[in-house]
Amino acid sequence: MNLITISGPPSSGKTSVILKTIEAIKKRKLKVGVVKFDCLYTDDDILYKKADIPVKKGLSGSLCPDHYFVSNIEEVVVWGKKENLDILITESAGLCNRCSPYIKGIKAICVIDNLSGINTPKKIGPMLKTADIIVVTKGDIVSQAEREVFASRVNSVNPQAVIMSVNGLTGQGAFELSTLIYDNELNIETVKGKQLKFSMPSALCSYCLGETRIGEEYQMGNVRKMKIGDIDD
């Protein structure tokens, strides 16, 4: 079984890209399943079911969705094996720009859209910097010049990645992406013992543990203060 991790900022078009790409993959008689990770709510699982795609979803609730992803990925792989999938795609919400759900040796795809802002590639962090493939969406809404500038910014952040455009509505580019996803010689039996590409932020403080009161006396653990300085600085 191939395992693919797809992440990206909210509303970048991840689910649309995945659906169109699976359409192309199915023409090769390969069985694909999806596990959707999100924070508080998602109905994307309904879209996958309508497309006759085996799907599971996990909501992290008060936890970081990427931490939740890492805590559950082993069980997810076991599910994919039981379903006899050829390809298991995990879709992560990517809500925290400091986190990255990518695993060493597992193909990682970041989806980002042309409308997110010219400096967004620099803000996303390891989710973009450590991706193997970067899919840029919504290229039909902006001009050719804007597409080229945005692609250049993406390339400057991660020059090693394959950068390609996919239209989540028409499916243009989805076939090309599907040819990059599946490796006939790759078979993932388990991810136990594998390592993340990037360590999660060391954010363990009193507010992570449920503290709601404001004040230095309530702050414990990993706390970082801004260097604000004097008014005249």
Side-chain angles (χ1 to χ4, degrees), residues 62 202-225:
S62 59
S202 54
L204 181 60
C205 70
S206 49
Y207 298 110
C208 296
L209 301 175
E211 178 61 77
T212 58
R213 294 170 294 181
I214 297 173
E216 196 164 325
E217 62 270 34
Y218 304 118
Q219 299 170 357
M220 300 172 60
N222 193 345
V223 177
R224 178 180 296 179
K225 294 291 187 180

Side-chain angles (χ1 to χ4, degrees), residues 103-168:
I103 302 169
K104 291 179 180 177
I106 303 298
K107 196 162 291 179
I109 302 173
C110 180
V111 179
I112 183 173
D113 74 89
N114 275 292
L115 299 179
S116 59
I118 198 68
N119 290 320
T120 296
K122 293 183 178 179
K123 298 177 181 178
I124 291 182
M127 189 166 60
L128 183 70
K129 291 179 180 176
T130 62
D132 301 305
I133 301 172
I134 299 171
V135 173
V136 184
T137 61
K138 303 178 185 177
D140 56 325
I141 304 176
V142 299
S143 68
Q144 176 68 26
E146 289 171 312
R147 286 196 296 272
E148 291 179 0
V149 170
F150 191 78
S152 175
R153 294 293 180 95
V154 171
N155 179 260
S156 69
V157 173
N158 185 348
Q160 287 79 36
V162 174
I163 302 173
M164 58 189 307
S165 297
V166 175
N167 188 317

Side-chain angles (χ1 to χ4, degrees), residues 19 26 43-55:
L19 285 167
K26 281 186 170 181
D43 57 3
D44 289 345
D45 54 314
I46 297 174
L47 298 176
Y48 290 122
K49 287 177 181 176
K50 284 183 178 178
D52 197 26
I53 298 168
V55 61

Side-chain angles (χ1 to χ4, degrees), residues 69-124:
F69 167 92
V70 178
S71 301
N72 287 276
I73 189 60
E74 175 64 13
E75 290 81 358
V76 165
V77 170
V78 171
W79 172 79
K81 297 293 291 184
K82 286 182 179 177
E83 291 286 324
N84 293 315
L85 301 178
D86 296 302
I87 303 175
L88 171 58
I89 296 175
T90 63
E91 179 186 351
S92 178
L95 295 176
C96 174
N97 288 343
R98 297 166 304 155
C99 287
S100 165
Y102 303 149
I103 302 169
K104 291 179 180 177
I106 303 298
K107 196 162 291 179
I109 302 173
C110 180
V111 179
I112 183 173
D113 74 89
N114 275 292
L115 299 179
S116 59
I118 198 68
N119 290 320
T120 296
K122 293 183 178 179
K123 298 177 181 178
I124 291 182

